[in-house]
């Protein structure tokens, strides 16, 4: 663990997530517990105010807020410009909790309707569309195809992944207009301390 003096509410969040990792052996049950912890974090006024100064993550980046040395979970953030149209993707075998901290976003879920046998092809169908607002947390299961779209103003979200994927695991990327599908390493991680 580093000696960074983090925002106290964020430090407490990290300690609570570490405790969940140590206490709950099942990945799905663990992430359901993390979802509740993340809801508390993204509803915290100190974190909401702090996020107003976070830099944009345009250019396919994530802010790397924390990576746990013992349990390997990762806490990221995205800062979207108004109207940012996020790519359709999955997170491979990783569980993800996605919490909107500031602004609004549209959370889209897709279902693959082809048989998966054709290379670089995936036919998708929009399954659900939910509005994301400050305090809302979406739990994304492994291989769940989804997208986050920016609202009319700048938006910020905090993301907890069950493990770091960047540089380790290819993730699915999809284009619903062309039905193309490929694998990618995902966004660039930019270290950022919440102090």
């Amino acid at each position: 663990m580093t000696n960074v003096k983090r925002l106290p509410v964020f430090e407490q969040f990290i300690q609570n997530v570490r405790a969940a990792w140590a206490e709950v052996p099942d990945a799905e049950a663990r992430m359901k517990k993390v979802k509740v912890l993340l809801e508390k974090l993204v509803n915290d006024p100190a974190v909401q105010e702090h996020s107003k100064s976070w830099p944009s993550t345009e250019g396919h980046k994530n802010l790397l807020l924390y990576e746990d040395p013992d349990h390997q979970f990762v806490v990221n953030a995205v800062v979207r410009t108004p109207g940012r149209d996020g790519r359709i993707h999955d997170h491979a075998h990783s569980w993800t909790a996605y919490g909107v901290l500031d602004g609004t976003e549209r959370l889209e879920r897709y279902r693959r309707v082809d048989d998966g046998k054709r290379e670089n092809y995936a036919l998708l169908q929009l399954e659900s569309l939910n509005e994301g607002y400050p305090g809302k947390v979406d739990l994304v299961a492994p291989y769940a195809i989804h997208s986050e779209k920016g609202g009319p103003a700048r938006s910020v979200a905090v993301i907890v992944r069950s493990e770091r994927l960047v540089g380790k695991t290819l993730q699915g990327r999809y284009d619903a207009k062309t039905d193309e599908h490929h694998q990618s390493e995902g966004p660039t991680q930019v270290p950022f301390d919440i102090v």
Side-chain angles (χ1 to χ4, degrees):
M1 303 264 278
T2 65
N3 292 327
V4 173
K5 181 155 178 51
R6 297 181 184 94
L7 194 66
V9 68
F10 185 65
E11 181 62 37
Q12 186 60 57
F13 170 74
I14 290 169
Q15 296 311 315
N16 291 342
V17 174
R18 284 178 54 80
W21 236 260
E23 296 165 7
V24 183
D26 176 71
E28 182 176 1
R30 182 186 300 141
M31 287 303 289
K32 285 180 179 176
K33 191 167 187 172
V34 167
K35 180 181 185 282
V36 174
L37 296 171
L38 185 56
E39 286 170 346
K40 185 176 177 184
L41 181 74
V42 297
N43 275 295
D44 187 278
V47 180
Q48 290 173 341
E49 183 61 31
H50 195 279
S51 75
K52 293 185 185 310
S53 66
W54 295 1
S56 170
T57 55
E58 290 304 303
H60 201 53
K61 295 181 278 192
N62 279 186
L63 300 177
L64 178 59
L65 306 180
Y66 178 79
E67 183 169 5
D68 194 80
D70 302 313
H71 304 292
Q72 284 71 53
F73 67 84
V74 177
V75 183
N76 292 117
V78 292
V79 180
R80 297 183 194 283
T81 56
R84 177 73 170 118
D85 200 15
R87 299 176 185 176
I88 302 171
H89 60 284
D90 66 44
H91 296 294
H93 59 274
S94 175
W95 279 91
T96 303
Y98 187 92
V100 178
L101 184 59
D102 191 28
T104 60
E105 296 187 2
R106 194 174 66 230
L107 309 169
E108 299 175 347
R109 298 273 189 147
Y110 292 86
R111 177 168 67 90
R112 189 171 179 168
V113 294
D114 67 295
D115 62 11
K117 293 180 180 177
R118 191 168 148 196
E119 190 174 341
N120 300 322
Y121 176 85
L123 184 59
L124 302 179
Q125 184 175 65
L126 183 64
E127 196 166 45
S128 66
L129 175 63
N130 295 303
E131 292 300 318
Y133 48 83
K136 176 153 173 83
V137 176
D138 190 33
L139 190 59
V140 182
Y143 298 102
I145 302 169
H146 63 285
S147 179
E148 301 89 9
K149 311 288 188 200
R154 175 184 181 270
S155 61
V156 181
V158 176
I159 308 160
V160 179
R161 302 183 205 285
S162 60
E163 67 181 88
R164 183 182 190 143
L165 298 174
V166 172
K168 294 172 43 180
T169 304
L170 294 177
Q171 303 163 63
R173 298 291 180 257
Y174 305 85
D175 187 324
K177 293 177 183 164
T178 64
D179 300 329
E180 290 180 44
H181 169 252
H182 68 278
Q183 300 289 310
S184 167
E185 282 197 5
T188 302
Q189 305 281 326
V190 179
F192 185 76
D193 291 321
I194 300 181
V195 293

